[in-house]
Amino acid sequence: MNSFFETKSNSESQHILVLEDSNCRRTIMLEESQYSLGRHSSCGIQITSAQASRHHATLVRKFNNKLNRDMYLIVDGDLDGNKSQNGVFINGSKCLVHELKDGDLINFGCHVNASYHCLQFGQSHSQSFLRDKNGDSFTTSTQTRPSVLVSEPLQDFRRPEEDTFEEQSYIDPSTNLPNQVLFLEYLNLALSNAERGQHQVGLILLQLKNWQRLIKDYSQSLSILTLSQIGQHLRQGLRNGDVVARWGENEFIILLSQIRGEENLEGVSQRLLHSLLAPYDVQGKTLQLEFARGSAVYPRDGAAVETLSKVVRSRLQALPTQNPHLVIASPDSGFFQTSQWDAPLPEKSTLNFAQLNLEEAPSAEAERERLVKVEKRIQRALRKSELELYFQPQVNLERREVETMEALIRWLHPTQGMIAPRQFLPWSDQTEMILPLTEWILQNACLQNRTWQSQGLPPAMVSVNLSSKQFYHQNLIALIQSALAGSQLAPQWLELEITETTILEDLDGARQILRELDERGARVCLDDFGVDYASIRYLQELPIHKFKIDNSLIQRLNTYPQDTALLEVLINLGRSFRIAVVAEGVENQTQLDILQKLRCPIIQGYYLSHPLNGLDAGHFLGHYHFGRPVAQSSKISMPEWGEDSPFARL
């Protein structure tokens, strides 16, 4: 049977890694499920630089469900959790694990760069990419792996620079964007690819004209924060393989690694700048950002870095500002807010533009009526005790004990029966009932856990899921403190579960909330982990105590039981950061056997237990602790469980 990373035969696509160092350029056909990159002789792809680690990075093949084809992950270091010394940078961002996309630019923390290409044969760019200098196509037939299609000396696009840079010299500390040094590495690689593929490269230089006045009218710190948010907004609006960097004190430079022509450049500029050119109200003052823009195109305006840099600066011209319908903002909301009629921003823009309804949509009245009905029904459910918490155990395989009981709300409607949370929780988030409902869940979860402990049952954490609206609610900390105090539950026995998407929605806000929770002793679990690899780096920065591997990765084991490489990466990642790892959605013995073989610490799923009401959850908790019954020490009576009990399967 094929492995997870060879589940589909991709006869119509080819994966290419173009690797460049100071001596040569190698075009490598990727065919294996795994490659090690580094300067050690055992590495399948060797990096010839003294600044590269012995095992600097690993490529792991995986199947992308959305694209319906194989792609590659790049992992910093090896699969045992040993990271490289200088890191791996993808499109200017330092990454621990990243799903490579066509056109991604890679830097290995030194003067060694690479680009990744997923070529669909039959498309024009595929054939041009695989041509040699004489225009002849290289063969793509199976060769000794890894297949090196060509190795050739490089044309020297570089400026004279030292051969070694410390890791911190690649990133601008104020904006967390690449600085000139790293940007030039990417530009050199893009120009080299463009020369070979015979396509165009675009450069855009943006200069904040009123930078000094911003410092004078406000403060240095607020001005730097403004610059940082502008940079993040620009980064979120770019494609894979495009890079934005801080160029000068008040400048950003954007690399578009492949364009059709000048019209591409103009379109990208307008889309990125449309909202930034509107006036903003900051601390009671109106701030109008003023930009100048210059552009250059390779090869029309030159082939060398120095030439293109001069051209793009010489073409700087001031841009006209805008006058939107309505602008309001406050310092507490990120101080960048504007009308919804501005050009749409990327889905994950870090500027937090508020969507202000200037006109009511035709269905607005109907929507309001529906929300009013939902609010009244939830009020009645709380008043008539129609809500109930169920609990699903998370079992620690290493210690053979129940580690956590995840609280799951259920609505026992008098006429409609059991209503699943997905049918009413998203609606409650849009009403005033979000606060009393969150309060009810926290209070009852803490009270149930304290009740179990007072009955002599072995202590375990209780986990409460928080939606984005609940997590960012201004009263969250107060609600948690009240629930803990009212139940007399110690904070280390409460776990709060959020998703990666929630954190990425407002990283600064999430960081503050997570630190407050950590200071008060509560634990945090990251749900659906393994979906958005860009956020993996936040495991180092944020006080995360546990993450749950996305259920879809576990379900793939039903069809492809050898598809374990990505799971192994995630489990080892948890060990590396000393973060607990949970595999959720375990439904059969095959999945359990594989997870035990991979030494996954904690599992959860229907194969061990469905969600249980409070009484049955207490029975489950009381029967199994450290692999042996503890019913004798508890103060509640429990039914006898036969040989087919959950722990008999472990």
Side-chain angles (χ1 to χ4, degrees):
M1 182 176 291
N2 291 335
S3 74
F4 174 60
F5 303 100
E6 298 174 314
T7 58
K8 302 279 183 181
S9 87
N10 291 307
S11 58
E12 298 181 354
S13 65
Q14 184 63 64
H15 306 275
I16 304 292
L17 185 73
V18 180
L19 191 68
E20 290 190 3
D21 55 33
S22 57
N23 298 318
C24 70
R25 167 195 180 99
R26 286 172 286 164
T27 302
I28 302 169
M29 183 194 306
L30 301 177
E31 298 172 331
E32 298 282 5
S33 61
Q34 183 176 312
Y35 293 93
S36 178
L37 294 83
R39 58 183 174 86
H40 194 270
S41 59
S42 64
C43 293
I45 301 176
Q46 292 194 359
I47 300 177
T48 56
S49 172
Q51 283 72 50
S53 298
R54 291 163 61 85
H55 297 279
H56 199 100
T58 306
L59 289 174
V60 180
R61 191 170 179 173
K62 70 179 287 286
F63 185 71
N64 187 304
N65 289 307
K66 291 182 179 179
L67 299 177
N68 195 33
R69 64 170 183 253
D70 287 348
M71 301 296 283
Y72 276 88
L73 294 177
I74 186 168
V75 181
D76 184 1
D78 59 27
L79 297 185
D80 293 327
N82 302 309
K83 293 181 285 295
S84 67
Q85 182 174 351
N86 287 335
V88 176
F89 297 83
I90 311 295
N91 302 326
S93 298
K94 189 176 183 181
C95 297
L96 292 175
V97 180
H98 177 82
E99 181 175 332
L100 290 171
K101 300 174 182 64
D102 185 32
D104 274 347
L105 303 180
I106 309 165
N107 175 266
F108 295 98
C110 55
H111 278 312
V112 179
N113 303 291
S115 59
Y116 169 80
H117 306 269
C118 183
L119 306 181
Q120 303 299 304
F121 289 112
Q123 298 177 2
S124 59
H125 75 277
S126 302
Q127 299 303 325
S128 65
F129 183 82
L130 294 175
R131 290 191 183 108
D132 63 14
K133 292 183 176 180
N134 298 320
D136 297 326
S137 296
F138 291 100
T139 177
T140 57
S141 59
T142 303
Q143 305 172 23
T144 304
R145 298 175 179 178
S147 303
V148 179
L149 300 182
V150 62
S151 179
E152 58 178 296
L154 286 178
Q155 175 182 345
D156 188 10
F157 287 105
R158 305 180 187 278
R159 297 190 306 175
E161 299 280 0
E162 293 187 19
D163 189 47
T164 307
F165 294 98
E166 295 297 328
E167 175 186 327
Q168 60 267 26
S169 69
Y170 278 91
I171 300 297
D172 172 63
S174 298
T175 61
N176 203 33
L177 294 176
N179 61 12
Q180 287 194 21
V181 175
L182 183 55
F183 183 83
L184 289 174
E185 292 290 332
Y186 286 123
L187 180 56
N188 284 318
L189 178 60
L191 294 178
S192 181
N193 284 342
E195 182 197 27
R196 183 179 192 83
Q198 300 176 7
H199 60 255
Q200 300 178 74
V201 174
L203 284 180
I204 302 173
L205 180 64
L206 297 176
Q207 186 180 81
L208 185 58
K209 300 292 290 182
N210 54 339
W211 169 246
Q212 292 299 327
R213 190 168 80 244
L214 185 64
I215 297 175
K216 179 181 178 181
D217 293 348
Y218 298 95
S219 66
Q220 180 75 28
S221 59
L222 187 60
S223 302
I224 292 294
L225 180 60
T226 304
L227 208 64
S228 175
Q229 292 204 13
I230 292 171
Q232 296 307 314
H233 167 68
L234 294 173
R235 172 191 275 174
Q236 295 288 352
L238 296 177
R239 308 166 302 175
N240 302 315
D242 297 339
V243 178
V244 59
R246 189 176 183 185
W247 193 246
E249 181 186 25
N250 60 330
E251 294 176 336
F252 298 94
I253 191 164
I254 298 170
L255 166 65
L256 304 179
S257 57
Q258 184 170 350
I259 61 172
R260 291 189 299 272
E262 181 71 31
E263 65 278 5
N264 261 167
L265 225 55
E266 184 65 25
V268 172
S269 296
Q270 290 183 3
R271 180 169 57 85
L272 292 175
L273 287 170
H274 187 83
S275 297
L276 293 178
L277 290 172
Y280 301 98
D281 184 78
V282 182
Q283 296 182 343
K285 299 180 181 180
T286 299
L287 169 62
Q288 175 71 67
L289 299 179
E290 299 173 7
F291 286 94
R293 180 190 64 194
S295 62
V297 176
Y298 164 91
R300 184 195 67 187
D301 298 320
V305 170
E306 295 87 348
T307 304
L308 292 171
S309 299
K310 290 177 181 178
V311 170
V312 75
R313 184 170 294 281
S314 69
R315 292 180 177 170
L316 278 172
Q317 292 184 348
L319 297 173
T321 57
Q322 298 177 10
N323 183 22
H325 301 290
L326 175 65
V327 179
I328 66 169
S330 68
D332 296 333
S333 60
F335 68 80
F336 278 109
Q337 298 187 358
T338 186
S339 161
Q340 68 170 353
W341 306 116
D342 285 340
L345 292 177
E347 186 176 341
K348 294 183 179 178
S349 171
T350 56
L351 288 178
N352 299 324
F353 286 82
Q355 295 185 345
L356 305 175
N357 292 318
L358 304 181
E359 298 178 358
E360 292 292 346
S363 61
E365 184 64 31
E367 190 78 359
R368 274 201 300 269
E369 290 181 2
R370 187 170 186 178
L371 289 176
V372 169
K373 290 180 180 178
V374 170
E375 187 168 338
K376 289 181 178 179
R377 289 174 181 174
I378 295 178
Q379 284 177 338
R380 184 185 64 185
L382 287 170
R383 187 174 63 253
K384 295 190 174 183
S385 301
E386 295 175 2
L387 300 178
E388 183 177 355
L389 288 183
Y390 276 56
F391 301 87
Q392 189 173 33
Q394 295 175 9
V395 176
N396 190 305
L397 294 177
E398 296 172 348
R399 297 197 300 266
R400 297 182 63 80
E401 65 177 345
V402 178
E403 179 162 299
T404 305
M405 286 289 193
E406 181 178 357
L408 304 166
I409 191 170
R410 297 289 186 267
W411 186 349
L412 305 177
H413 196 276
T415 59
Q416 299 180 30
M418 181 86 71
I419 300 178
R422 66 177 179 274
Q423 295 178 270
F424 66 90
L425 285 183
W427 287 96
S428 71
D429 280 357
Q430 303 177 50
T431 72
E432 294 299 322
M433 292 308 298
I434 181 176
L435 189 63
L437 191 59
T438 305
E439 183 179 24
W440 184 91
I441 294 172
L442 286 167
Q443 287 182 349
N444 282 271
C446 291
L447 185 61
Q448 179 64 80
N449 198 11
R450 186 68 185 91
T451 300
W452 287 332
Q453 292 183 10
S454 65
Q455 292 172 337
L457 296 175
M461 285 185 291
V462 63
S463 181
V464 173
N465 290 272
L466 295 178
S467 68
S468 177
K469 291 288 184 64
Q470 290 172 314
F471 179 73
Y472 288 110
H473 198 285
Q474 59 182 357
N475 292 330
L476 174 65
I477 301 297
L479 291 179
I480 292 172
Q481 289 179 314
S482 175
L484 291 172
S487 62
Q488 297 184 332
L489 181 71
Q492 68 265 29
W493 301 115
L494 173 64
E495 180 180 84
L496 302 166
E497 190 170 312
I498 58 176
T499 64
E500 291 182 275
T501 305
T502 296
I503 288 181
L504 294 176
E505 186 176 311
D506 180 5
L507 180 58
D508 290 335
R511 182 181 287 109
Q512 180 178 349
I513 295 171
L514 291 173
R515 286 175 178 170
E516 288 189 57
L517 293 173
D518 189 56
E519 290 171 359
R520 286 166 170 77
R523 298 173 64 85
V524 175
C525 173
L526 203 56
D527 195 12
D528 298 336
F529 196 76
V531 177
D532 192 345
Y533 300 105
S535 67
I536 289 179
R537 64 189 180 92
Y538 301 132
L539 292 179
Q540 278 183 310
E541 303 174 12
L542 303 175
I544 303 295
H545 306 90
K546 178 194 291 183
F547 66 75
K548 299 173 77 172
I549 297 174
D550 185 61
N551 180 49
S552 63
L553 301 179
I554 308 302
Q555 297 313 307
R556 281 193 60 83
L557 296 176
N558 293 331
T559 309
Y560 308 106
Q562 296 178 352
D563 298 355
T564 61
L566 181 55
L567 289 174
E568 191 172 3
V569 169
L570 296 175
I571 292 169
N572 286 328
L573 188 67
R575 289 198 188 98
S576 177
F577 288 113
R578 297 187 178 181
I579 295 176
V581 179
V582 181
E584 62 176 337
V586 180
E587 297 178 351
N588 54 57
Q589 187 67 41
T590 298
Q591 295 171 345
L592 179 59
D593 290 342
I594 293 172
L595 292 167
Q596 285 182 307
K597 185 177 180 180
L598 293 175
R599 296 173 56 212
C600 181
I602 306 168
I603 60 171
Q604 178 183 12
Y606 287 175
Y607 192 57
L608 289 182
S609 174
H610 285 67
L612 306 167
N613 61 34
L615 180 62
D616 290 340
H619 292 159
F620 190 101
L621 188 62
H623 266 283
Y624 299 102
H625 184 58
F626 291 94
R628 63 178 183 274
V630 295
Q632 296 85 349
S633 62
S634 68
K635 300 176 182 178
I636 62 174
S637 60
M638 291 168 287
E640 292 296 328
W641 288 5
E643 295 181 357
D644 193 34
S645 64
F647 272 64
R649 302 168 181 167
L650 302 182

